[in-house]
Amino acid sequence: MIRILMLFFIINSISAQEFQGIVIYQTDRKMDMKMDSTKVSSEMQKQITEMMRKQFQKEYTLRFSKSESLYKEEESLGAPQPAGMQMVMIGRDGSEVFYKNIKEERFSSQRDMMGKTFLVKDTLEKIDWKLENETKKIGNYTCYKATAKRKISIPDGFDVDEETQKQAEENEITITAWYTPMIPISNGPSSYWGLPGLILEANDGSESILCSKIVLNPKKKMAISEPTKGKKITAEKFETLVTKKSKEMQEMHRRNRDDENVIEYRIGG
């Protein structure tokens, strides 16, 4: 009873004031890459896989208030590439700045692609969360588990083998999130939101995002500013553009099949 009362007091104290917070997240991505063993040695495959994994071991900062947030990648030195190799990643040329307005259920995302800056503006995707009874501690915060299903798909015209296309059509991924009611903000990293507490950990089966530090009510008040730079575009049109550029890169690769030093790895979303 004492613990319940303490939690109730914390939640009401937070809700009664206009507060802000900063959360540091670390990301990691599962790598499952298939390469032509006649062109790439097993040792080189290991090097490339590890290099790709390091590319996605990033640190992000989420600055939030009750209704707004700004999720931004912290600058860092890029992971080294194997000698003589060139890696091209479509749709992820630079740091993404992701603004969410929970009250208005919309987002603005500043994205760099192929040397151009785009401002993706659209409504937030509503996630059909299922609240679970399982709990665990992340730092000093008691977190509750939530899961959601999401269909996986491959954009029309994107060149994949028949087996991969079939799996994409038949399967769905499970998103697992851990949120804490101790910070009653319906927000979280990246595009995650919609739970009765701040999301401190999320995993979609390929990428994991984990909170490493939280600062509530920092002494210096933060300005959470919506990004304005870039050509305005909807999420659907931006994804179509990414697919188009990916197809162009694939076609270029077909014309240069003897060039073993180019690797294309597309990251959607």
Side-chain angles (χ1 to χ4, degrees):
M1 176 63 71
I2 294 175
R3 289 183 180 179
I4 294 175
L5 288 173
M6 287 179 65
L7 180 59
F8 180 78
F9 176 75
I10 291 171
I11 291 175
N12 277 274
S13 295
I14 291 175
S15 299
Q17 58 180 308
E18 180 58 40
F19 78 107
Q20 297 182 321
I22 301 173
V23 189
I24 307 297
Y25 292 95
Q26 308 290 335
T27 67
D28 199 359
R29 183 176 286 272
K30 179 182 177 182
M31 291 289 114
D32 185 15
M33 303 175 65
K34 296 180 181 180
M35 304 176 202
D36 189 342
S37 59
T38 63
K39 295 183 178 181
V40 183
S41 67
S42 60
E43 184 61 33
M44 181 59 75
Q45 287 189 39
K46 289 180 182 178
Q47 289 185 35
I48 294 171
T49 301
E50 184 60 24
M51 173 197 69
M52 291 294 300
R53 187 175 176 220
K54 288 183 182 298
Q55 289 285 342
F56 294 101
Q57 289 178 331
K58 304 285 188 178
E59 182 175 280
Y60 289 82
T61 299
L62 178 73
R63 292 174 170 82
F64 68 85
S65 64
K66 277 188 176 182
S67 60
E68 296 177 287
S69 68
L70 196 67
Y71 186 68
K72 185 177 180 181
E73 178 184 331
E74 295 301 309
E75 293 185 6
S76 62
L77 295 175
Q81 299 188 15
M85 301 295 293
Q86 178 188 355
M87 182 177 64
V88 178
M89 293 202 300
I90 304 299
R92 203 177 187 278
D93 282 1
S95 301
E96 177 183 2
V97 179
F98 196 94
Y99 166 88
K100 291 200 293 285
N101 189 310
I102 301 300
K103 185 177 181 179
E104 299 176 3
E105 298 187 0
R106 64 180 181 85
F107 74 89
S108 295
S109 175
Q110 185 176 300
R111 305 284 296 272
D112 292 340
M113 183 179 67
M114 307 294 285
K116 295 182 179 180
T117 300
F118 294 86
L119 186 62
V120 186
K121 298 173 73 72
D122 220 317
T123 56
L124 283 167
E125 176 190 2
K126 290 189 177 181
I127 305 173
D128 187 17
W129 294 109
K130 178 184 178 183
L131 304 186
E132 311 283 357
N133 294 323
E134 190 176 344
T135 65
K136 73 174 182 178
K137 280 275 193 178
I138 297 180
N140 296 322
Y141 295 90
T142 299
C143 295
Y144 291 81
K145 184 178 180 180
T147 57
K149 300 290 186 181
R150 177 181 287 168
K151 290 287 185 180
I152 59 175
S153 62
I154 297 173
D156 293 337
F158 195 71
D159 188 15
V160 296
D161 57 60
E162 186 176 342
E163 181 181 355
T164 302
Q165 182 68 49
K166 184 178 180 181
Q167 289 178 345
E169 292 172 353
E170 295 178 350
N171 295 332
E172 60 184 8
I173 61 172
T174 298
I175 302 169
T176 301
W178 294 90
Y179 67 96
T180 177
M182 296 174 71
I183 307 177
I185 297 297
S186 184
N187 213 325
S190 189
S191 59
Y192 295 116
W193 71 295
L195 285 168
L198 182 66
I199 298 171
L200 300 188
E201 181 178 341
N203 192 313
D204 66 2
S206 61
E207 183 183 45
S208 62
I209 307 174
L210 177 62
C211 163
S212 61
K213 182 179 179 180
I214 300 175
V215 178
L216 293 179
N217 292 320
K219 293 181 180 179
K220 185 177 180 181
K221 190 174 182 180
M222 301 177 299
I224 300 176
S225 302
E226 183 173 356
T228 57
K229 181 182 177 182
K231 180 181 178 181
K232 292 183 181 180
I233 189 172
T234 64
E236 182 179 1
K237 289 184 177 179
F238 182 76
E239 181 60 28
T240 299
L241 184 60
V242 171
T243 302
K244 178 183 177 182
K245 293 298 181 182
S246 298
K247 289 170 66 177
E248 290 176 359
M249 291 300 299
Q250 285 187 326
E251 188 60 34
M252 186 183 300
H253 180 62
R254 288 194 193 95
R255 294 196 298 265
N256 297 278
R257 284 193 181 278
D258 292 334
D259 185 356
E260 301 177 7
N261 298 326
V262 177
I263 296 175
E264 178 190 340
Y265 193 83
R266 180 182 184 277
I267 300 300

